[in-house]
mmCIF file of all heavy atoms in Angstrom:
data_model
loop_
_atom_site.group_PDB
_atom_site.id
_atom_site.type_symbol
_atom_site.label_atom_id
_atom_site.label_comp_id
_atom_site.label_asym_id
_atom_site.label_seq_id
_atom_site.Cartn_x
_atom_site.Cartn_y
_atom_site.Cartn_z
ATOM 1 N N ILE C 794 -46.357 -220.384 182.103
ATOM 2 C CA ILE C 794 -45.783 -221.680 181.707
ATOM 3 C C ILE C 794 -46.265 -222.792 182.622
ATOM 4 O O ILE C 794 -46.651 -223.856 182.176
ATOM 5 C CB ILE C 794 -44.211 -221.609 181.699
ATOM 6 C CG1 ILE C 794 -43.717 -220.683 180.618
ATOM 7 C CG2 ILE C 794 -43.566 -223.007 181.578
ATOM 8 C CD1 ILE C 794 -43.974 -221.182 179.164
ATOM 9 N N PHE C 795 -46.284 -222.555 183.909
ATOM 10 C CA PHE C 795 -46.703 -223.576 184.854
ATOM 11 C C PHE C 795 -48.189 -223.835 184.648
ATOM 12 O O PHE C 795 -48.613 -225.016 184.770
ATOM 13 C CB PHE C 795 -46.473 -223.154 186.321
ATOM 14 C CG PHE C 795 -45.002 -223.258 186.768
ATOM 15 C CD1 PHE C 795 -43.968 -223.418 185.826
ATOM 16 C CD2 PHE C 795 -44.644 -223.164 188.070
ATOM 17 C CE1 PHE C 795 -42.689 -223.553 186.199
ATOM 18 C CE2 PHE C 795 -43.315 -223.284 188.486
ATOM 19 C CZ PHE C 795 -42.299 -223.478 187.535
ATOM 20 N N GLY C 796 -48.974 -222.822 184.337
ATOM 21 C CA GLY C 796 -50.398 -223.012 184.005
ATOM 22 C C GLY C 796 -50.607 -223.903 182.839
ATOM 23 O O GLY C 796 -51.500 -224.783 182.799
ATOM 24 N N GLN C 797 -49.794 -223.699 181.794
ATOM 25 C CA GLN C 797 -49.847 -224.520 180.565
ATOM 26 C C GLN C 797 -49.513 -225.935 180.898
ATOM 27 O O GLN C 797 -50.126 -226.886 180.392
ATOM 28 C CB GLN C 797 -48.891 -223.945 179.528
ATOM 29 C CG GLN C 797 -49.252 -222.620 178.980
ATOM 30 C CD GLN C 797 -50.407 -222.636 178.031
ATOM 31 O OE1 GLN C 797 -50.353 -223.295 176.968
ATOM 32 N NE2 GLN C 797 -51.510 -222.002 178.362
ATOM 33 N N LEU C 798 -48.512 -226.131 181.765
ATOM 34 C CA LEU C 798 -48.091 -227.490 182.136
ATOM 35 C C LEU C 798 -49.168 -228.176 182.983
ATOM 36 O O LEU C 798 -49.496 -229.338 182.724
ATOM 37 C CB LEU C 798 -46.774 -227.449 182.952
ATOM 38 C CG LEU C 798 -45.504 -227.165 182.176
ATOM 39 C CD1 LEU C 798 -44.370 -226.830 183.131
ATOM 40 C CD2 LEU C 798 -45.100 -228.339 181.324
ATOM 41 N N ARG C 799 -49.715 -227.415 183.897
ATOM 42 C CA ARG C 799 -50.757 -228.011 184.788
ATOM 43 C C ARG C 799 -52.027 -228.405 184.030
ATOM 44 O O ARG C 799 -52.640 -229.435 184.304
ATOM 45 C CB ARG C 799 -51.148 -226.988 185.875
ATOM 46 C CG ARG C 799 -50.131 -226.931 186.946
ATOM 47 C CD ARG C 799 -50.716 -226.333 188.262
ATOM 48 N NE ARG C 799 -49.800 -226.569 189.400
ATOM 49 C CZ ARG C 799 -48.935 -225.691 189.839
ATOM 50 N NH1 ARG C 799 -48.815 -224.513 189.274
ATOM 51 N NH2 ARG C 799 -48.144 -225.987 190.856
ATOM 52 N N SER C 800 -52.400 -227.576 183.040
ATOM 53 C CA SER C 800 -53.607 -227.869 182.239
ATOM 54 C C SER C 800 -53.376 -228.951 181.238
ATOM 55 O O SER C 800 -54.344 -229.513 180.717
ATOM 56 C CB SER C 800 -54.036 -226.619 181.494
ATOM 57 O OG SER C 800 -53.091 -226.285 180.491
ATOM 58 N N GLY C 801 -52.124 -229.285 181.009
ATOM 59 C CA GLY C 801 -51.820 -230.334 180.017
ATOM 60 C C GLY C 801 -51.730 -229.771 178.596
ATOM 61 O O GLY C 801 -51.460 -230.514 177.657
ATOM 62 N N ASP C 802 -51.932 -228.459 178.437
ATOM 63 C CA ASP C 802 -51.810 -227.891 177.093
ATOM 64 C C ASP C 802 -50.315 -227.974 176.615
ATOM 65 O O ASP C 802 -50.056 -228.081 175.430
ATOM 66 C CB ASP C 802 -52.185 -226.380 177.147
ATOM 67 C CG ASP C 802 -53.688 -226.213 177.307
ATOM 68 O OD1 ASP C 802 -54.406 -227.204 177.079
ATOM 69 O OD2 ASP C 802 -54.129 -225.104 177.700
ATOM 70 N N LEU C 803 -49.406 -227.937 177.599
ATOM 71 C CA LEU C 803 -48.005 -228.097 177.274
ATOM 72 C C LEU C 803 -47.481 -229.360 177.968
ATOM 73 O O LEU C 803 -47.666 -229.499 179.215
ATOM 74 C CB LEU C 803 -47.194 -226.830 177.790
ATOM 75 C CG LEU C 803 -45.712 -226.891 177.680
ATOM 76 C CD1 LEU C 803 -45.212 -227.058 176.225
ATOM 77 C CD2 LEU C 803 -45.076 -225.618 178.295
ATOM 78 N N LYS C 804 -46.945 -230.237 177.163
ATOM 79 C CA LYS C 804 -46.407 -231.495 177.709
ATOM 80 C C LYS C 804 -45.030 -231.715 177.137
ATOM 81 O O LYS C 804 -44.855 -231.591 175.921
ATOM 82 C CB LYS C 804 -47.256 -232.658 177.254
ATOM 83 C CG LYS C 804 -48.559 -232.863 178.002
ATOM 84 C CD LYS C 804 -49.313 -234.051 177.402
ATOM 85 C CE LYS C 804 -50.803 -233.792 177.407
ATOM 86 N NZ LYS C 804 -51.541 -234.628 176.490
ATOM 87 N N PHE C 805 -44.102 -232.078 178.018
ATOM 88 C CA PHE C 805 -42.763 -232.463 177.482
ATOM 89 C C PHE C 805 -42.665 -233.946 177.598
ATOM 90 O O PHE C 805 -42.911 -234.550 178.632
ATOM 91 C CB PHE C 805 -41.684 -231.829 178.372
ATOM 92 C CG PHE C 805 -41.459 -230.365 178.188
ATOM 93 C CD1 PHE C 805 -42.155 -229.428 178.943
ATOM 94 C CD2 PHE C 805 -40.611 -229.895 177.164
ATOM 95 C CE1 PHE C 805 -41.985 -228.058 178.741
ATOM 96 C CE2 PHE C 805 -40.425 -228.513 176.986
ATOM 97 C CZ PHE C 805 -41.127 -227.606 177.740
ATOM 98 N N THR C 806 -42.328 -234.611 176.448
ATOM 99 C CA THR C 806 -42.136 -236.055 176.501
ATOM 100 C C THR C 806 -40.648 -236.393 176.691
ATOM 101 O O THR C 806 -40.287 -237.528 177.031
ATOM 102 C CB THR C 806 -42.657 -236.679 175.178
ATOM 103 O OG1 THR C 806 -42.128 -235.951 174.097
ATOM 104 C CG2 THR C 806 -44.180 -236.658 175.157
ATOM 105 N N GLY C 807 -39.823 -235.403 176.458
ATOM 106 C CA GLY C 807 -38.367 -235.583 176.672
ATOM 107 C C GLY C 807 -37.670 -234.247 176.623
ATOM 108 O O GLY C 807 -38.174 -233.292 176.071
ATOM 109 N N TYR C 808 -36.511 -234.210 177.292
ATOM 110 C CA TYR C 808 -35.743 -232.956 177.293
ATOM 111 C C TYR C 808 -34.271 -233.342 177.431
ATOM 112 O O TYR C 808 -33.749 -233.582 178.524
ATOM 113 C CB TYR C 808 -36.138 -232.027 178.440
ATOM 114 C CG TYR C 808 -35.926 -230.574 178.145
ATOM 115 C CD1 TYR C 808 -36.937 -229.619 178.367
ATOM 116 C CD2 TYR C 808 -34.714 -230.088 177.627
ATOM 117 C CE1 TYR C 808 -36.732 -228.276 178.104
ATOM 118 C CE2 TYR C 808 -34.517 -228.779 177.367
ATOM 119 C CZ TYR C 808 -35.538 -227.866 177.593
ATOM 120 O OH TYR C 808 -35.338 -226.510 177.341
ATOM 121 N N ASP C 809 -33.619 -233.483 176.259
ATOM 122 C CA ASP C 809 -32.198 -233.931 176.262
ATOM 123 C C ASP C 809 -31.318 -232.673 176.395
ATOM 124 O O ASP C 809 -31.521 -231.722 175.639
ATOM 125 C CB ASP C 809 -31.884 -234.687 175.010
ATOM 126 C CG ASP C 809 -32.768 -235.882 174.770
ATOM 127 O OD1 ASP C 809 -33.118 -236.530 175.797
ATOM 128 O OD2 ASP C 809 -33.170 -236.161 173.624
ATOM 129 N N LEU C 810 -30.359 -232.781 177.316
ATOM 130 C CA LEU C 810 -29.453 -231.645 177.461
ATOM 131 C C LEU C 810 -28.126 -231.973 176.771
ATOM 132 O O LEU C 810 -27.631 -233.103 176.878
ATOM 133 C CB LEU C 810 -29.211 -231.387 178.951
ATOM 134 C CG LEU C 810 -30.363 -230.687 179.702
ATOM 135 C CD1 LEU C 810 -30.004 -230.569 181.192
ATOM 136 C CD2 LEU C 810 -30.713 -229.321 179.138
ATOM 137 N N GLY C 811 -27.556 -231.000 176.125
ATOM 138 C CA GLY C 811 -26.195 -231.177 175.498
ATOM 139 C C GLY C 811 -25.142 -230.453 176.313
ATOM 140 O O GLY C 811 -25.227 -230.353 177.517
ATOM 141 N N ASP C 812 -24.181 -229.913 175.603
ATOM 142 C CA ASP C 812 -23.100 -229.201 176.240
ATOM 143 C C ASP C 812 -23.580 -227.984 176.991
ATOM 144 O O ASP C 812 -24.496 -227.307 176.574
ATOM 145 C CB ASP C 812 -22.097 -228.657 175.171
ATOM 146 C CG ASP C 812 -21.476 -229.816 174.383
ATOM 147 O OD1 ASP C 812 -21.542 -230.930 174.880
ATOM 148 O OD2 ASP C 812 -20.962 -229.514 173.291
ATOM 149 N N MET C 813 -22.972 -227.728 178.104
ATOM 150 C CA MET C 813 -23.326 -226.525 178.879
ATOM 151 C C MET C 813 -22.008 -225.809 179.331
ATOM 152 O O MET C 813 -21.043 -226.442 179.691
ATOM 153 C CB MET C 813 -24.080 -226.877 180.169
ATOM 154 C CG MET C 813 -25.544 -227.221 179.873
ATOM 155 S SD MET C 813 -26.451 -227.380 181.401
ATOM 156 C CE MET C 813 -26.055 -229.006 181.911
ATOM 157 N N VAL C 814 -22.039 -224.511 179.205
ATOM 158 C CA VAL C 814 -20.898 -223.692 179.700
ATOM 159 C C VAL C 814 -21.481 -222.825 180.819
ATOM 160 O O VAL C 814 -22.462 -222.099 180.595
ATOM 161 C CB VAL C 814 -20.310 -222.819 178.597
ATOM 162 C CG1 VAL C 814 -19.215 -221.942 179.178
ATOM 163 C CG2 VAL C 814 -19.774 -223.680 177.484
ATOM 164 N N ILE C 815 -20.891 -222.935 182.004
ATOM 165 C CA ILE C 815 -21.404 -222.193 183.145
ATOM 166 C C ILE C 815 -20.344 -221.210 183.593
ATOM 167 O O ILE C 815 -19.175 -221.512 183.756
ATOM 168 C CB ILE C 815 -21.687 -223.219 184.321
ATOM 169 C CG1 ILE C 815 -22.708 -224.254 183.835
ATOM 170 C CG2 ILE C 815 -22.236 -222.437 185.560
ATOM 171 C CD1 ILE C 815 -22.920 -225.380 184.852
ATOM 172 N N ARG C 816 -20.783 -219.925 183.737
ATOM 173 C CA ARG C 816 -19.943 -218.864 184.231
ATOM 174 C C ARG C 816 -20.491 -218.395 185.572
ATOM 175 O O ARG C 816 -21.692 -218.135 185.681
ATOM 176 C CB ARG C 816 -19.866 -217.721 183.248
ATOM 177 C CG ARG C 816 -18.962 -217.992 182.039
ATOM 178 C CD ARG C 816 -19.156 -216.976 180.980
ATOM 179 N NE ARG C 816 -20.490 -217.059 180.389
ATOM 180 C CZ ARG C 816 -21.167 -216.055 179.876
ATOM 181 N NH1 ARG C 816 -20.683 -214.848 179.895
ATOM 182 N NH2 ARG C 816 -22.377 -216.234 179.381
ATOM 183 N N ILE C 817 -19.589 -218.289 186.569
ATOM 184 C CA ILE C 817 -20.001 -217.867 187.893
ATOM 185 C C ILE C 817 -19.416 -216.475 188.161
ATOM 186 O O ILE C 817 -18.249 -216.232 187.936
ATOM 187 C CB ILE C 817 -19.471 -218.802 189.004
ATOM 188 C CG1 ILE C 817 -19.834 -220.293 188.692
ATOM 189 C CG2 ILE C 817 -19.967 -218.369 190.406
ATOM 190 C CD1 ILE C 817 -21.270 -220.680 188.930
ATOM 191 N N PHE C 818 -20.278 -215.544 188.530
ATOM 192 C CA PHE C 818 -19.846 -214.179 188.892
ATOM 193 C C PHE C 818 -20.349 -213.885 190.323
ATOM 194 O O PHE C 818 -21.369 -213.213 190.505
ATOM 195 C CB PHE C 818 -20.464 -213.184 187.937
ATOM 196 C CG PHE C 818 -20.236 -213.440 186.505
ATOM 197 C CD1 PHE C 818 -21.162 -214.217 185.758
ATOM 198 C CD2 PHE C 818 -19.084 -212.982 185.818
ATOM 199 C CE1 PHE C 818 -20.927 -214.447 184.393
ATOM 200 C CE2 PHE C 818 -18.880 -213.193 184.473
ATOM 201 C CZ PHE C 818 -19.826 -213.956 183.779
ATOM 202 N N GLY C 819 -19.709 -214.419 191.281
ATOM 203 C CA GLY C 819 -20.161 -214.222 192.671
ATOM 204 C C GLY C 819 -21.451 -214.875 192.911
ATOM 205 O O GLY C 819 -21.626 -216.110 192.858
ATOM 206 N N ASP C 820 -22.511 -214.075 193.118
ATOM 207 C CA ASP C 820 -23.832 -214.630 193.408
ATOM 208 C C ASP C 820 -24.710 -214.641 192.133
ATOM 209 O O ASP C 820 -25.925 -214.730 192.231
ATOM 210 C CB ASP C 820 -24.520 -213.802 194.525
ATOM 211 C CG ASP C 820 -23.869 -214.069 195.837
ATOM 212 O OD1 ASP C 820 -23.242 -215.149 196.027
ATOM 213 O OD2 ASP C 820 -23.946 -213.189 196.707
ATOM 214 N N THR C 821 -24.081 -214.517 190.968
ATOM 215 C CA THR C 821 -24.783 -214.599 189.713
ATOM 216 C C THR C 821 -24.159 -215.728 188.886
ATOM 217 O O THR C 821 -22.907 -215.866 188.899
ATOM 218 C CB THR C 821 -24.682 -213.255 188.937
ATOM 219 O OG1 THR C 821 -25.052 -212.195 189.772
ATOM 220 C CG2 THR C 821 -25.541 -213.257 187.687
ATOM 221 N N ALA C 822 -24.954 -216.469 188.154
ATOM 222 C CA ALA C 822 -24.406 -217.478 187.306
ATOM 223 C C ALA C 822 -25.163 -217.466 185.956
ATOM 224 O O ALA C 822 -26.367 -217.208 185.975
ATOM 225 C CB ALA C 822 -24.531 -218.858 187.939
ATOM 226 N N VAL C 823 -24.417 -217.701 184.902
ATOM 227 C CA VAL C 823 -25.066 -217.750 183.605
ATOM 228 C C VAL C 823 -24.688 -219.061 182.946
ATOM 229 O O VAL C 823 -23.504 -219.455 182.900
ATOM 230 C CB VAL C 823 -24.624 -216.553 182.677
ATOM 231 C CG1 VAL C 823 -25.241 -216.680 181.291
ATOM 232 C CG2 VAL C 823 -24.994 -215.227 183.336
ATOM 233 N N VAL C 824 -25.707 -219.763 182.484
ATOM 234 C CA VAL C 824 -25.499 -221.054 181.776
ATOM 235 C C VAL C 824 -25.845 -220.881 180.300
ATOM 236 O O VAL C 824 -26.967 -220.347 179.989
ATOM 237 C CB VAL C 824 -26.410 -222.144 182.368
ATOM 238 C CG1 VAL C 824 -26.117 -223.473 181.710
ATOM 239 C CG2 VAL C 824 -26.259 -222.243 183.861
ATOM 240 N N VAL C 825 -24.993 -221.272 179.451
ATOM 241 C CA VAL C 825 -25.340 -221.340 178.005
ATOM 242 C C VAL C 825 -25.260 -222.819 177.647
ATOM 243 O O VAL C 825 -24.252 -223.448 177.862
ATOM 244 C CB VAL C 825 -24.345 -220.541 177.143
ATOM 245 C CG1 VAL C 825 -24.695 -220.698 175.655
ATOM 246 C CG2 VAL C 825 -24.433 -219.041 177.499
ATOM 247 N N GLY C 826 -26.380 -223.336 177.138
ATOM 248 C CA GLY C 826 -26.376 -224.764 176.869
ATOM 249 C C GLY C 826 -27.170 -225.103 175.634
ATOM 250 O O GLY C 826 -27.840 -224.247 175.038
#
Side-chain angles (χ1 to χ4, degrees):
Chain C
I794 293 293
F795 284 14
Q797 293 284 300
L798 285 167
R799 282 201 167 97
S800 68
D802 288 344
L803 173 61
K804 283 178 215 160
F805 286 93
T806 48
Y808 207 131
D809 305 322
L810 288 175
D812 298 342
M813 283 190 280
V814 176
I815 303 170
R816 283 167 293 151
I817 309 285
F818 306 92
D820 289 335
T821 308
V823 178
V824 183
V825 176

